[in-house]
Amino acid sequence: KSISLSPRVFLSLSIYSKERKSSMNETTIMLCSAPNAKPDFLATVEPSSSSTDDCLLPFELILNNYTRDSWSSLNNNDSSSSPDNKWKSSWFKSVDGKNRLPGFLKYLKERKKAAFGKFDPTATDDDDGGVKRRGVFVVPYNQPPIPSMYEKEKENMMYCKFIMDRRVISAFRPAPPKQQQQQRTVKPAPQPPRKKPTAPPRKMGGMLGSLLGKQSRTAHHLSVVRAPKKDNDNGTATTSTSSSSAGSSPASLTSGAVIAKFRTEVEQKLLDFQSLPQETLLKYHYSLSATTALLDAEQRAKVTMETLKFLVYEQVEEIGEDKWVAVKEPGDFMDEHTIAIYKEGCAPAEVLEEMNKGDLPDEIRGQAKALQQQRMKQVQKKDLAIEKQNMQQLNKSVVVETLNTKKRDRRTIEEIQRDMMGGDAKRANLG
């Protein structure tokens, strides 16, 4: 039985179907501030164009990684020749009204890093024997100029690109199975058969003969005990001990890989420190021996304490945006450092003063030292003058009297004459 609809009801149904269709294209983007952190809401976006490729995106995306690789940039769209494995790009508009996209894009541009996350396409598509594809959604840091048609909505626009099969990117290709890998075994190089040791030459007489005999015996022993030859492929000795230990030592580990791993660890530690607003001080301790423990002697010589210190200071300047203060604390060992990192405005005054002293040239240091010595001399001179003045005041307050100056002579006349005669006799004897 047919049902007739009025024009008003038909118009309402068409508007509802369009709103329902547009809401189906919305995607909620979540953002992780650090790896393995809880994602936070960033924006709810919808594609500006009604393309069938945009409908393959899921209802929720999580951006939980950052990268500077070339495949994440705006201009790198190299992919497979298959249409399903090509990069697709589009402008997305924020419809949540929270206006968080400008700050997020500014953060990516300052650090020159792209944010990306993996997702499962909404279409049921199996590939390679039932293995479900996983796509990659990328927000490049170098956003293109906004088209004129979106100029009024530029605060809510964001350019993104995505690919339906992440295996197109070399960084996400799975490693080949172990059965297909060529098992390279280190075979010792064939050695020529050893010659039977000949008897040492006989000892000659005399001093010269003794010297020649010793040289001959030394050459004879060196010819018997040969040095182990090196393999041409990997430069390792062909002796039994070296070949047995070759499987346990990480021969493929290089100094560059160790430095890259150390930089990643420092960056992760500083990002965790940045995400904690109540923490104002971080003491990062590292050791050269622990960092280079898995390297051989040749690769270990390429990693120094100055290199590790430079990497720490570089990451502090980058993540702290030149507002954090990093100071090396004094230590007892030369191969161990502890770097104290203060957030903006939290460094003590003595730390800042010590840093400023380190930046002064030698001439200014000499002038400051001479000025300090001059001030010390002036203080000492002033102290001596005060001490002298106190002694003078003390002497004035003390009254000194001389006793027995008016003593009466109680001798008799005979005693006086006897003393006088005795004095004359003494003078006569002396004359």
Side-chain angles (χ1 to χ4, degrees), residues 77-360:
N77 291 324
D78 295 338
S79 58
S80 175
S81 58
S82 175
D84 297 335
N85 296 337
K86 284 185 174 295
W87 284 100
K88 303 171 181 60
S89 58
S90 177
W91 285 94
F92 289 84
K93 178 183 176 182
S94 175
V95 295
D96 55 80
K98 295 187 179 181
N99 198 22
R100 293 184 178 179
L101 291 183
F104 173 64
L105 296 177
K106 181 182 178 182
Y107 175 85
L108 296 181
K109 185 176 181 181
E110 289 177 352
R111 285 156 180 78
K112 295 184 178 181
K113 287 185 177 181
F116 72 95
K118 305 170 187 176
F119 67 92
D120 296 329
T122 56
T124 57
D125 186 12
D126 294 342
D127 188 22
D128 293 343
V131 179
K132 192 172 182 180
R133 297 180 179 179
R134 295 203 70 188
V136 178
F137 187 86
V138 182
V139 182
Y141 73 90
N142 49 348
Q143 294 279 308
I146 298 178
S148 58
M149 63 182 71
Y150 306 134
E151 188 64 29
K152 295 182 180 180
E153 300 288 340
K154 63 180 181 180
E155 297 295 331
N156 297 323
M157 301 303 295
M158 178 175 65
Y159 183 84
C160 306
K161 67 176 188 176
F162 55 93
I163 194 168
M164 295 304 168
D165 191 356
R166 64 171 182 170
R167 292 174 295 178
V168 176
I169 307 171
S170 59
F172 298 107
R173 290 174 185 168
K178 294 183 179 180
Q179 290 78 8
Q180 297 179 1
Q181 292 181 355
Q182 296 181 355
Q183 298 179 355
R184 297 182 178 179
T185 56
V186 181
K187 296 181 179 180
Q191 296 183 0
R194 293 186 179 182
K195 297 180 180 180
K196 295 182 179 180
T198 57
R202 294 182 179 180
K203 196 172 181 181
M204 308 175 98
M207 185 180 297
L208 181 59
S210 176
L211 179 61
L212 293 176
K214 291 179 180 179
Q215 290 181 351
S216 301
R217 285 193 297 274
T218 302
H220 168 72
H221 291 306
L222 290 177
S223 64
V224 173
V225 184
R226 295 179 181 178
K229 294 184 179 180
K230 291 187 177 181
D231 193 2
N232 297 329
D233 294 337
N234 54 7
T236 56
T238 57
T239 57
S240 59
T241 57
S242 61
S243 60
S244 61
S245 63
S248 60
S249 63
S252 60
L253 195 61
T254 61
S255 59
V258 170
I259 291 175
K261 181 181 178 183
F262 180 79
R263 181 189 286 110
T264 305
E265 292 177 355
V266 174
E267 182 180 7
Q268 183 60 44
K269 195 76 174 178
L270 293 179
L271 287 174
D272 296 341
F273 177 57
Q274 185 185 30
S275 62
L276 300 174
Q278 68 275 11
E279 297 291 337
T280 59
L281 171 62
L282 172 65
K283 291 189 177 182
Y284 187 77
H285 180 79
Y286 58 93
S287 173
L288 180 62
S289 58
T291 306
T292 61
L294 300 178
L295 295 177
D296 54 8
E298 182 180 358
Q299 296 293 328
R300 192 182 298 116
K302 298 179 182 179
V303 183
T304 61
M305 289 298 292
E306 292 298 326
T307 304
L308 302 182
K309 181 181 177 183
F310 172 78
L311 293 175
V312 175
Y313 277 79
E314 180 187 29
Q315 293 300 320
V316 170
E317 291 179 1
E318 181 179 351
I319 298 177
E321 299 179 359
D322 295 332
K323 296 179 182 178
W324 292 0
V325 177
V327 181
K328 175 183 163 306
E329 294 187 347
D332 298 332
F333 303 98
M334 296 181 63
D335 62 340
E336 294 183 3
H337 282 178
T338 301
I339 306 296
I341 304 168
Y342 300 89
K343 288 186 178 179
E344 181 182 6
C346 300
E350 56 270 15
V351 173
L352 297 176
E353 184 179 358
E354 190 67 24
M355 288 180 60
N356 294 332
K357 283 183 181 179
D359 296 337
L360 294 176

Side-chain angles (χ1 to χ4, degrees), residues 13-117:
L13 289 175
S14 62
I15 292 175
Y16 174 77
S17 63
K18 290 182 179 179
E19 292 179 352
R20 181 65 178 172
K21 184 178 180 181
S22 63
S23 63
M24 293 295 288
N25 288 338
E26 291 182 358
T27 299
T28 301
I29 299 179
M30 309 293 288
L31 179 65
C32 293
S33 59
N36 300 325
K38 184 179 180 180
D40 298 327
F41 176 78
L42 176 62
T44 300
V45 298
E46 63 180 9
S48 59
S49 62
S50 58
S51 174
T52 56
D53 296 331
D54 301 334
C55 299
L56 299 177
L57 294 176
F59 292 104
E60 182 175 301
L61 279 170
I62 299 178
L63 303 178
N64 55 359
N65 288 288
Y66 298 90
T67 182
R68 289 194 180 101
D69 294 341
S70 59
W71 57 266
S72 64
S73 63
L74 174 65
N75 301 324
N76 191 342
N77 291 324
D78 295 338
S79 58
S80 175
S81 58
S82 175
D84 297 335
N85 296 337
K86 284 185 174 295
W87 284 100
K88 303 171 181 60
S89 58
S90 177
W91 285 94
F92 289 84
K93 178 183 176 182
S94 175
V95 295
D96 55 80
K98 295 187 179 181
N99 198 22
R100 293 184 178 179
L101 291 183
F104 173 64
L105 296 177
K106 181 182 178 182
Y107 175 85
L108 296 181
K109 185 176 181 181
E110 289 177 352
R111 285 156 180 78
K112 295 184 178 181
K113 287 185 177 181
F116 72 95

